[in-house]
Amino acid sequence: MQNTPDTAKNTALTARTLSPFTPTQKMSRIVKSGLIQMSLPITEGEGTIAEIMEAMVQKHIPLIEEAGRQGVQILCLQEIFNTPYFCPRAG
């Protein structure tokens, strides 16, 4: 396809900045974050997968609530936080 004046005109891009803030408002540059990393309260053999999942959720809830009380805006949980680790041993 040739770049004719018509196609150049039809493919031109216009950029502009949109901001929800007025020039006198500023966003806070401080973001409070948290990280929760913990062990399983019960493991395979001590309970079913459903019981392990429920136990992990119940173990996390108080910490999640405390993070909220402390003003945490971004809270990270460990990977597969609510299930047993699917590869408990090498091989």
Side-chain angles (χ1 to χ4, degrees), residues 1-13:
M1 181 173 175
Q2 289 184 346
N3 192 12
T4 64
D6 284 340
T7 58
K9 183 175 101 179
N10 292 335
T11 58
L13 299 175

Side-chain angles (χ1 to χ4, degrees), residues 21-40:
F21 300 99
T22 64
T24 58
Q25 292 176 311
K26 291 188 179 184
M27 286 181 48
S28 172
R29 294 186 183 260
I30 298 172
V31 175
K32 196 167 192 179
S33 62
L35 172 66
I36 298 174
Q37 178 91 27
M38 66 176 66
S39 62
L40 292 169

